[in-house]
Amino acid sequence: MAYQILSFLLDIATGLLGGACLLRLYMQHQRIPFGNPVGRLIFALTDWLVLPLRRVVRSVGRWDLASLVAVFLLELAQFTLLWLIAGGTVHFGGVLVLAVFGVARLAVSGITALLVVAVILSWVQSNSPLASIVERLAAPILRPFRRMIPLVGGIDLSPLAVLVLLQVAAMVLAELQRQVLL
């Protein structure tokens, strides 16, 4: 039971910090200004990890690879700690694979959360500054689906389609992870 509790707490901490690093990566790629409350929060949560990594990991175009490496290192630290607590019975290569899949799962979860927040804000707070930032982040993901799926009674169903695809992606990732680790 103690292992499950520790695993849960590590998952929460890694999810929050790793999600913040992924959001930082995506916000920089989309050129969202960081002078807003969301941007300041992201910097406050991630600067301690991303800034030192920038000394050794360079950006590629608009992609801040230091933020991506930070997410991987967080996932790697989480799974390494759990691996050590469990007695290190599996080969460490399995821990590396778990970290890669952890980053992918975190990205899928982050996009899912972004779309859910975008939909909710579009219903209740469409005038808030947060809503405009979230919409700018969600728009590139939704744009291809909005071209294919017409409005139904004035309702945009493209977020629903993307959420369904994200759930399928999460299932595929889980199955791939299971097969790789067998």
Side-chain angles (χ1 to χ4, degrees):
M1 185 161 116
Y3 180 84
Q4 288 175 322
I5 292 169
L6 180 63
S7 177
F8 172 72
L9 294 174
L10 282 172
D11 201 38
I12 295 294
T14 304
L16 289 173
L17 288 174
C21 289
L22 285 176
L23 186 55
R24 178 183 185 133
L25 168 80
Y26 189 54
M27 285 178 75
Q28 287 177 333
H29 181 265
Q30 293 301 110
R31 295 190 175 149
I32 305 289
F34 282 88
N36 56 66
V38 174
R40 289 192 296 272
L41 174 66
I42 296 302
F43 275 167
L45 289 174
T46 61
D47 272 353
W48 66 274
L49 182 56
V50 173
L51 293 182
L53 285 172
R54 280 203 183 140
R55 294 184 190 128
V56 292
V57 179
R58 299 202 179 263
S59 295
V60 174
R62 292 187 340 194
W63 292 104
D64 176 26
L65 293 186
S67 295
L68 186 59
V69 170
V71 177
F72 176 76
L73 291 176
L74 287 167
E75 291 286 334
L76 185 62
Q78 173 190 0
F79 288 115
T80 300
L81 185 58
L82 292 172
W83 176 71
L84 290 171
I85 290 170
T89 56
V90 203
H91 190 270
F92 187 73
V95 174
L96 292 171
V97 170
L98 284 173
V100 170
F101 277 102
V103 171
R105 273 194 322 274
L106 193 56
V108 169
S109 297
I111 295 168
T112 300
L114 173 69
L115 292 177
V116 168
V117 169
V119 167
I120 291 170
L121 286 176
S122 74
W123 292 340
V124 295
Q125 285 288 328
S126 59
N127 298 5
S128 90
L130 178 62
S132 67
I133 292 166
V134 171
E135 175 55 31
R136 283 182 62 189
L137 290 170
I141 298 164
L142 294 172
R143 191 173 299 120
F145 295 89
R146 285 180 173 156
R147 287 185 198 129
M148 294 184 302
I149 301 170
L151 294 177
V152 177
I155 306 276
D156 180 12
L157 296 179
S158 60
L160 180 61
V162 176
L163 289 171
V164 167
L165 288 176
L166 287 168
Q167 288 305 305
V168 170
M171 288 183 233
V172 169
L173 278 172
E175 181 60 23
L176 283 173
Q177 178 180 330
R178 189 185 68 74
Q179 287 180 6
V180 168
L181 293 176
L182 284 180

